[in-house]
Amino acid sequence: MLISTSFLSSKNLIQDLKKLDQTDTDFIHMDIMDGKFVRNKTMPFKEMRNIYKYTSKRLDVHLMVQNPERYILDYASLNTEYIVIHLELDIDIEKSLKLIKRCGIQCGLAVRPDTEIKELLPYLPLLDIILVMSVEPGAGGQAFLRETENKIKELKVLLREYHSHAKISVDGGITDLTKSYCSECDILVSGSYIINGNDFQTQIDSLR
């Protein structure tokens, strides 16, 4: 199981990023919020880009924004593995996904808890990763939604039927107790559980 660690709940970002850099977490998950698509808002890119000073880990960027094309080129310029946008956006989704790919970055779509998996179908050929939200996006520390387990299974079947090799990532309320509901995914995104622990590596080990 791959682990992507979110710093959304961090109270001391620089210190926590340095500590995470000493662990074997596979990715650093960056939650980017514009205060429009979701209520909360994160720091601007001119501050976010400084993350490279404190970690050499590859980045897993989750854009919770209304206009992702305004952000894609900036975040593609970092040490980024994935850029994920939301399926629920009222934009030209395919255009944004192709822009990410032109930047040489793997692209993906995120789905909110109430979004049906079948809505991903038109975009499957383009997708490298699908982010299943197991909480409502926009805030850390929420409880895992149990119905996510069935959603992951449904997605797994869909990917197999359409011969897609997209990875499944799950984000929200991930702990050593909820990971069992996500056994068929490829990547677990965890924030509060790791960041609020006394030993980051011990918390990460418990999720693998």
Side-chain angles (χ1 to χ4, degrees):
M1 184 70 71
L2 298 176
I3 305 298
S4 185
T5 303
S6 169
F7 55 79
L8 187 62
S9 300
S10 175
K11 301 296 190 294
N12 190 328
L13 181 57
I14 293 175
Q15 176 182 298
D16 287 343
L17 285 173
K18 288 179 177 178
K19 287 169 64 177
L20 283 171
D21 202 48
Q22 300 305 308
T23 71
D24 66 3
T25 190
D26 298 282
F27 306 104
I28 299 295
H29 185 85
M30 294 182 74
D31 290 297
I32 310 303
M33 300 179 282
D34 63 358
K36 297 174 183 177
F37 181 73
V38 294
R39 186 177 302 174
N40 290 330
K41 191 172 184 178
T42 45
M43 65 182 82
F45 178 74
K46 64 182 179 181
E47 295 178 46
M48 279 288 200
R49 67 185 176 187
N50 290 322
I51 192 172
Y52 77 90
K53 297 178 181 178
Y54 312 110
T55 179
S56 59
K57 301 288 185 182
R58 297 284 283 171
L59 305 178
D60 167 27
V61 178
H62 178 193
L63 295 179
M64 290 176 273
V65 299
Q66 278 191 347
N67 185 4
E69 290 196 20
R70 289 180 53 194
Y71 298 78
I72 288 169
L73 294 180
D74 282 341
Y75 285 95
S77 71
L78 303 180
N79 185 26
T80 301
E81 183 77 18
Y82 299 108
I83 294 180
V84 174
I85 66 175
H86 266 268
L87 176 61
E88 301 85 6
L89 291 168
D90 185 21
I91 61 167
D92 186 338
I93 297 282
E94 184 173 335
K95 182 182 176 186
S96 291
L97 293 174
K98 287 181 175 178
L99 175 59
I100 296 169
K101 282 191 172 293
R102 283 202 302 274
C103 294
I105 307 294
Q106 296 193 69
C107 73
L109 284 174
V111 290
R112 299 178 99 137
D114 59 354
T115 298
E116 293 190 27
I117 289 299
K118 66 182 181 181
E119 294 181 36
L120 288 162
L121 268 175
Y123 310 106
L124 281 185
L126 289 170
L127 300 180
D128 301 296
I129 188 170
I130 296 164
L131 179 61
V132 178
M133 295 301 300
S134 43
V135 299
E136 277 298 328
Q142 297 182 69
F144 180 88
L145 297 172
R146 283 281 301 274
E147 54 267 31
T148 305
E149 181 177 22
N150 290 331
K151 199 164 193 174
I152 296 168
K153 290 178 179 178
E154 181 185 352
L155 176 56
K156 194 81 171 180
V157 170
L158 188 75
L159 295 180
R160 189 161 53 244
E161 287 180 348
Y162 285 86
H163 307 289
S164 170
H165 298 291
K167 286 185 167 57
I168 300 175
S169 182
V170 183
D171 181 8
I174 300 297
T175 70
D176 58 338
L177 299 178
T178 59
K179 69 173 185 178
S180 61
Y181 303 115
C182 310
S183 59
E184 296 194 56
C185 75
D186 303 289
I187 302 172
L188 290 177
V189 179
S190 184
S192 301
Y193 175 72
I194 296 173
I195 296 296
N196 295 337
N198 292 325
D199 186 308
F200 289 0
Q201 186 62 60
T202 297
Q203 301 298 89
I204 291 167
D205 289 342
S206 72
L207 295 175
R208 292 199 187 276

